[in-house]
Amino acid sequence: MIAKFAKRLGITSLLTTIFVLGMTVVPYAQATAVTQKTALFYGDSLMWEARPTILEKFSTKPSWKAYVHAWPAIALCDMTSWLQADLDLYRPNVVTLETHGGSLSPCMKHPDGSYIVRGSKEYYDKIQSDLNYFFST
């Protein structure tokens, strides 16, 4: 999936995908030595709590600018439309999606109104489906 996304963007060398505590880091666009590089961090309350550290670390890197957009109690399916707008606005070189929480978000409900059980196969299938949707648009 990520290799297909990288190929679609014309990235010749795919950076290693990193999975740490539910975070996925993927390249979004190629950086050039002339322009400032941008990192976009998206997630729920865990990302919000990490925000001060992320911004502090990036403040020591003059060639990088970081944006952290995080909200408590949301799921990846809540972020999709916001994320696409930010991708268009910031044209980041790296995007980090943190998707640990959000199991009680309305977009994580079954048609009958019950919630998908957090940690179940169905829960991870839903997250994978949301990621596939994001990368296919």
Side-chain angles (χ1 to χ4, degrees):
M1 168 184 72
I2 292 172
K4 180 180 171 185
F5 177 66
K7 184 177 178 183
R8 189 174 130 226
L9 291 176
I11 297 172
T12 56
S13 63
L14 179 61
L15 297 176
T16 305
T17 301
I18 304 170
F19 292 96
V20 179
L21 294 177
M23 289 192 272
T24 306
V25 179
V26 296
Y28 184 69
Q30 286 183 318
T32 64
V34 179
T35 62
Q36 185 174 38
K37 297 172 215 136
T38 304
L40 179 59
F41 293 83
Y42 247 76
D44 58 26
S45 59
L46 293 178
M47 184 64 75
W48 180 256
E49 291 173 14
R51 182 181 51 86
T53 302
I54 291 167
L55 295 175
E56 177 186 338
K57 295 295 182 188
F58 274 88
S59 72
T60 65
K61 311 277 185 216
S63 62
W64 280 89
K65 177 69 178 170
Y67 297 94
V68 179
H69 295 173
W71 303 267
I74 65 169
L76 182 60
C77 46
D78 293 314
M79 299 180 215
T80 306
S81 62
W82 305 326
L83 182 54
Q84 189 59 57
D86 282 345
L87 291 174
D88 294 340
L89 177 64
Y90 298 114
R91 304 294 301 162
N93 302 87
V94 176
V95 176
T96 302
L97 300 170
E98 180 270 317
T99 60
H100 181 263
S103 61
L104 298 179
S105 173
C107 69
M108 294 296 283
K109 286 184 177 183
H110 291 287
D112 69 3
S114 64
Y115 286 99
I116 297 172
V117 176
R118 184 176 181 179
S120 67
K121 180 179 180 332
E122 184 179 22
Y123 176 82
Y124 293 111
D125 288 347
K126 170 72 169 131
I127 291 173
Q128 183 65 54
S129 173
D130 293 337
L131 284 169
N132 289 344
Y133 173 78
F134 169 73
F135 287 119
S136 70
T137 57

